[in-house]
Amino acid sequence: MTSFGGGGTDLVDWNLAVSTAARMTRPGPEVSRDEARAAVAELRRHAEAAQLHVNGFTGLDNGAADTPVLVVDRPGWIRANVAGFRELLSPVMVRMRERRSTVPGGAALTAVGSKVTGVEVGMLMSFLSSRVLGQYETFAPPTAGLPARPGGGRLLLVAPNIVQVERELAVKPHDFRLWVCLHEETHRTQFTAVPWLRDHMEGEIQGFLKESDVDPGTLVERFRQAAQSVTGRAPESGADSGRGLVDLVQTPRQREILDRLTAVMSLLEGHADYVMDGVGPAIVPSVAEIREKFTRRRAAGAGRLDRALRKMLGMDAKLRQYQEGERFVRTVVEQAGMTGFNKVWTSPNTLPTKEEITDPEKWVARVRPAAG
């Protein structure tokens, strides 16, 4: 198993999180070896084909998107995301560790707390690992055996989950797999065609984390409560049930950063939904049926997943991001065309604000005259 560091010196034992998640993760749907190989091969083909379709529809040039495409199973997704969590949380973890080192017995408390939190985080990752279909890892560490790419990032497609959902929805596998690849390829295109976007988001996230100034023990406890709430091991009612990590660590500056991050995430998710449905009719014959069934499934199953994302990341509900973001993109394209919409990628100053996501006309009025 890949080592992610941690152990008793971090506030989260990341190795224990991985092993716990792997142990608790449910097996995927039953498939023969030939079926599995065929699914993996088809997903790779679709990922390559989706690149051309997304480029043509969006007008964005991703420079051949020279980033890895990995078709993974659930344990593979867990390892990748725990590594990403560790990278993003590293600055705040270092600060918390330094603070605790000055407290009598702090090292011992950290060692014990990291084990407990590692188990809780592992439970959360196990829960999520059976639900994610694909993901563009913006801040992925280098992939073993592959050369480093400028800007980083890699595309993950979780084969067992895609097969499971296509069976649950009773849709055509070929169409559904291509439809999923269109969504994830749009995310890859967003970051490879817009070189400044990754650094901008990383700066925002790190700025948010650097503003964190909370007692280490309290932070760990919030991490545990968030994990417990999504895995069904904590009550949903009570005066404290609505509070997560971000509720405790927010400063006025953090709230400003969070508003900007929420707007960007809504834009990225909404854009991906708009593109996958816009491209769909030409190459995915059953796209209307897939969208109808998938939307019903997303709404019905959104509760726990959304609570996890809100509590762990401090974002608005994921479902709401899809809806508001897609509405923003659709409205701007209707008013300004795809070329006009693509001014959104000009610089951080042309990204929509949280207010503009829900009122696209304000973005059009602000950006179009300035952008020419």
Side-chain angles (χ1 to χ4, degrees), residues 117 215-228 245 248:
T117 311
D215 173 73
T218 304
L219 182 64
V220 168
E221 181 60 23
R222 288 303 174 201
F223 220 126
R224 292 183 57 209
Q225 289 177 1
Q228 289 174 344
L245 288 175
L248 282 180

Side-chain angles (χ1 to χ4, degrees), residues 23-235:
R23 187 170 59 252
M24 297 185 64
T25 298
R26 296 175 297 176
E30 291 187 9
V31 295
S32 68
R33 180 169 298 183
D34 288 344
E35 287 175 324
R37 287 174 177 170
V40 170
E42 184 171 36
L43 286 170
R44 291 188 184 281
R45 290 195 303 271
H46 283 335
E48 182 177 354
Q51 181 180 323
L52 296 176
H53 294 303
V54 170
N55 288 2
F57 184 81
T58 65
L60 295 175
D61 180 8
N62 63 7
D66 189 22
T67 53
V69 177
L70 305 179
V71 182
V72 298
D73 57 10
R74 291 170 179 175
W77 181 89
I78 289 168
R79 290 192 296 271
N81 278 267
V82 168
F85 262 120
R86 183 169 183 261
E87 284 294 316
L88 283 179
L89 294 176
S90 178
V92 72
M93 292 295 181
V94 169
R95 290 185 61 193
M96 296 300 100
R97 187 167 63 244
E98 290 173 348
R99 288 187 59 182
R100 177 155 283 192
S101 67
T102 64
V103 177
L109 289 173
T110 298
V112 174
S114 70
K115 298 293 184 185
V116 174
T117 311
V119 171
E120 300 289 356
V121 172
M123 294 173 61
L124 175 65
M125 301 307 291
S126 173
F127 174 82
L128 296 176
S129 70
S130 63
R131 285 156 174 77
V132 176
L133 302 183
Q135 171 186 1
Y136 182 72
E137 278 196 290
T138 312
F139 308 108
T143 302
L146 293 175
R149 265 78 170 183
R154 59 187 178 185
L155 183 64
L156 302 181
L157 297 168
V158 191
N161 295 350
I162 293 173
V163 171
Q164 179 171 312
V165 173
E166 69 193 23
R167 289 179 177 180
E168 291 175 355
L169 298 181
V171 293
K172 296 178 180 178
H174 173 88
D175 287 7
F176 183 74
R177 294 169 190 178
L178 179 53
W179 189 70
V180 170
C181 287
L182 289 170
H183 183 101
E184 303 309 331
E185 177 58 39
T186 301
H187 285 316
R188 181 163 68 153
T189 296
Q190 290 163 349
F191 284 94
T192 54
V194 186
W196 55 264
L197 185 58
R198 180 187 184 277
D199 289 343
H200 171 71
M201 289 196 65
E202 183 176 21
E204 293 278 58
I205 292 170
Q206 295 305 331
F208 182 89
L209 293 175
K210 287 177 182 177
E211 288 286 321
S212 301
D213 187 18
V214 66
D215 173 73
T218 304
L219 182 64
V220 168
E221 181 60 23
R222 288 303 174 201
F223 220 126
R224 292 183 57 209
Q225 289 177 1
Q228 289 174 344
S229 70
V230 74
T231 53
R233 299 181 66 242

Side-chain angles (χ1 to χ4, degrees), residues 308-327:
L309 293 168
R310 284 200 305 272
K311 289 179 180 292
M312 299 301 290
L313 303 178
M315 298 295 183
D316 287 340
K318 191 75 166 177
L319 179 59
R320 184 173 162 188
Q321 285 185 355
Y322 283 114
Q323 294 171 334
E324 292 183 347
E326 192 277 338
R327 186 164 53 248

